Amino acid sequence: MGESADGFTDPSDGVLTEAAAVFGLLASPARLHIMWALSQGESDVTRLADRVGGALPAVSQHLAKLRLAGLVRSRREGRRQVYYVDDPDIVTVVRVTVGQLTARSHQAPVPVRRLYEAGV
């Protein structure tokens, strides 16, 4: 691990691999929508499917993947399974990212030419 000029230490390969896996799971619009909904509060699969506009089996599969990755947890309440995000850092990442992109979508778009000239 190297240290950059600003004093930050580079993360290990293992940490980068794990982070890439998390970002890979969140790269699916459906899973990101589920995470966004769960960052607002817990829910069962039926309400999540209604909220995100997905079929119940598909939402269940997405939740299973998110749960296996440790991004979502669940508990039983009677006959239903209630899902929630138990990691405040993941909630922050989802809320900040989606919030910033939502705010940007309401601003005037930057012409592609200006982006090109800026080296982006």
Side-chain angles (χ1 to χ4, degrees):
M1 286 191 288
E3 190 171 308
S4 65
D6 55 10
F8 287 102
T9 302
D10 290 339
S12 70
D13 288 342
V15 167
L16 291 171
T17 299
E18 192 173 334
V22 168
F23 285 121
L25 278 170
L26 296 178
S28 158
R31 283 193 290 273
L32 186 57
H33 197 172
I34 290 167
M35 290 297 291
W36 171 259
L38 290 175
S39 77
Q40 311 304 309
E42 58 189 34
S43 182
D44 64 15
V45 69
T46 303
R47 285 193 184 135
L48 275 174
D50 289 342
R51 181 165 179 184
V52 304
L56 198 63
V59 171
S60 290
Q61 287 182 351
H62 288 305
L63 284 167
K65 288 178 183 180
L66 292 167
R67 205 171 72 145
L68 283 172
L71 298 178
V72 167
R73 297 183 72 184
S74 67
R75 71 172 188 285
R76 184 157 295 286
E77 277 188 4
R79 293 175 43 151
R80 41 181 223 137
Q81 199 76 6
V82 177
Y83 294 88
Y84 60 98
V85 181
D86 194 31
D87 185 341
D89 294 331
I90 293 295
V91 170
T92 299
V93 168
V94 170
R95 285 184 177 173
V96 168
T97 302
V98 173
Q100 287 293 318
L101 291 172
T102 300
R104 288 181 192 166
S105 72
H106 296 297
Q107 297 172 353
V110 177
V112 174
R113 183 176 180 156
R114 277 193 21 217
L115 290 173
Y116 179 75
E117 291 168 356
V120 176

